């Protein structure tokens, strides 16, 4: 079937607003990761889910960032009180077992 | 501190010639290394990988070499084709299957 789907593909928001970014992983993939890619950088790890629980959230930059995966499939990355420095491409990836991660096309977030 | 480094931001080669992309890492606990390819406005796509217990893995035109003592890996593409033009990311796998990426190398293959 389909690959990892991320919506929206682009999001423009004003500084201080709240945003939600959605990720639909590949069906059956138990592991889900969020990464952030800033201009000129490689993707940087934010958070990892195994099933419904966040197994590792050590990459979240501060408490304005939060992510959920309530049913072990779709995940939502939530950013409160957005700042201009949050502007980046947010990538979601899913995987299972030892297989390489499959990435979505990302959500380009622009905070004005 | 950057645990995975790709020191060449860009590389330009002629079609048909060999492309060699390099990557260095610092964390000896990484157990798997991967190369991803990225086109503009798309997510990274897995290309090839190598376990830390191997020193070479080949898949068609793509070969990855790992030198553990030097903490260095390289991706060879031969022959290079214009469709190979993209950004290539080196990634290393650590705990929780978490990937640490380099900054990427923009490969341009000229016809």
């Amino acid at each position: 079937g389909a690959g990892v789907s991320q919506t929206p593909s682009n999001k423009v928001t004003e500084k201080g607003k709240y945003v939600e970014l959605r990720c639909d992983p590949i069906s059956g993939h138990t592991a889900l990761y969020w990464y952030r890619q800033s201009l000129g950088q490689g993707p940087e790890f934010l958070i990892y889910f195994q099933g419904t629980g966040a197994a590792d959230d050590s990459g979240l930059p501060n408490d304005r960032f939060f992510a959920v995966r309530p049913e072990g499939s779709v995940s939502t990355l939530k950013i409160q009180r957005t700042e201009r420095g949050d502007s980046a491409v947010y990538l979601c990836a899913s995987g299972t077992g030892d297989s390489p991660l499959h990435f979505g096309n990302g959500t380009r977030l622009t905070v004005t | 501190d950057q645990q995975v480094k790709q020191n060449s931001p860009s590389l330009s080669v002629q079609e048909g010639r060999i492309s060699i992309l390099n990557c260095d890492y610092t964390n000896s606990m990484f157990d798997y290394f991967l190369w991803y390819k990225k086109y503009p406005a798309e997510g990274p796509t897995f290309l090839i990988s190598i376990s830390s217990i191997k020193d070479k893995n080949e898949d068609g035109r793509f070969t990855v070499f790992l030198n553990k003592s030097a903490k260095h890996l390289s991706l060879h593409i031969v022959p290079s084709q214009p469709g190979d033009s993209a950004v290539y990311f080196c990634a290393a796998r650590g705990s929780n299957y978490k990937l640490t990426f380099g900054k990427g190398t923009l490969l341009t293959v000229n016809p």
Side-chain angles (χ1 to χ4, degrees):
Chain A
V4 178
S5 175
Q6 291 188 246
T7 53
S9 54
N10 280 283
K11 176 72 178 175
V12 180
T13 191
E14 290 181 350
K15 179 174 176 297
K17 299 286 190 186
Y18 168 82
V19 295
E20 289 190 352
L21 312 179
R22 177 188 167 108
C23 172
D24 271 282
I26 292 172
S27 177
H29 279 190
T30 55
L32 186 147
Y33 297 76
W34 283 98
Y35 282 80
R36 176 167 75 172
Q37 185 176 12
S38 302
L39 200 61
Q41 304 294 317
E44 294 176 320
F45 169 78
L46 294 176
I47 186 169
Y48 155 58
F49 288 90
Q50 185 60 249
T52 60
D56 184 344
D57 65 357
S58 61
L60 294 178
N62 52 60
D63 62 6
R64 294 186 298 106
F65 288 74
F66 189 71
V68 295
R69 195 185 185 200
E71 296 175 0
S73 178
V74 170
S75 176
T76 305
L77 178 66
K78 308 179 182 202
I79 311 174
Q80 298 178 317
R81 304 184 303 280
T82 51
E83 299 177 357
R84 293 199 179 90
D86 299 336
S87 297
V89 175
Y90 289 81
L91 293 162
C92 177
S94 70
T96 184
D98 235 10
S99 64
L101 295 184
H102 295 259
F103 282 83
N105 286 337
T107 294
R108 179 174 296 279
L109 175 66
T110 304
V111 182
T112 62
Chain B
D1 64 333
Q2 253 191 301
Q3 296 191 62
V4 177
K5 293 183 184 178
Q6 293 177 258
N7 291 319
S8 297
S10 63
L11 175 68
S12 183
V13 300
Q14 211 59 32
E15 180 178 7
R17 305 294 291 269
I18 185 170
S19 295
I20 300 176
L21 296 100
N22 293 301
C23 178
D24 297 290
Y25 63 96
T26 56
N27 188 343
S28 56
M29 299 301 289
F30 290 139
D31 68 344
Y32 221 78
F33 302 90
L34 306 90
W35 286 93
Y36 280 81
K37 177 178 175 180
K38 187 180 182 306
Y39 293 116
E42 293 185 11
T45 303
F46 169 72
L47 190 58
I48 192 169
S49 63
I50 188 166
S51 164
S52 60
I53 62 173
K54 303 264 175 102
D55 55 18
K56 178 182 173 182
N57 186 27
E58 189 172 351
D59 183 1
R61 296 185 297 114
F62 304 91
T63 303
V64 56
F65 295 92
L66 175 62
N67 182 333
K68 273 190 76 173
S69 60
K71 294 194 177 69
H72 176 85
L73 64 155
S74 61
L75 173 68
H76 292 212
I77 307 173
V78 56
S80 302
Q81 299 173 354
D84 295 330
S85 298
V87 176
Y88 288 78
F89 289 101
C90 170
R93 193 177 77 179
S95 62
N96 286 329
Y97 288 66
K98 206 161 66 179
L99 296 181
T100 301
F101 286 85
K103 290 188 177 184
T105 296
L106 173 63
L107 173 66
T108 304
V109 181
N110 302 302

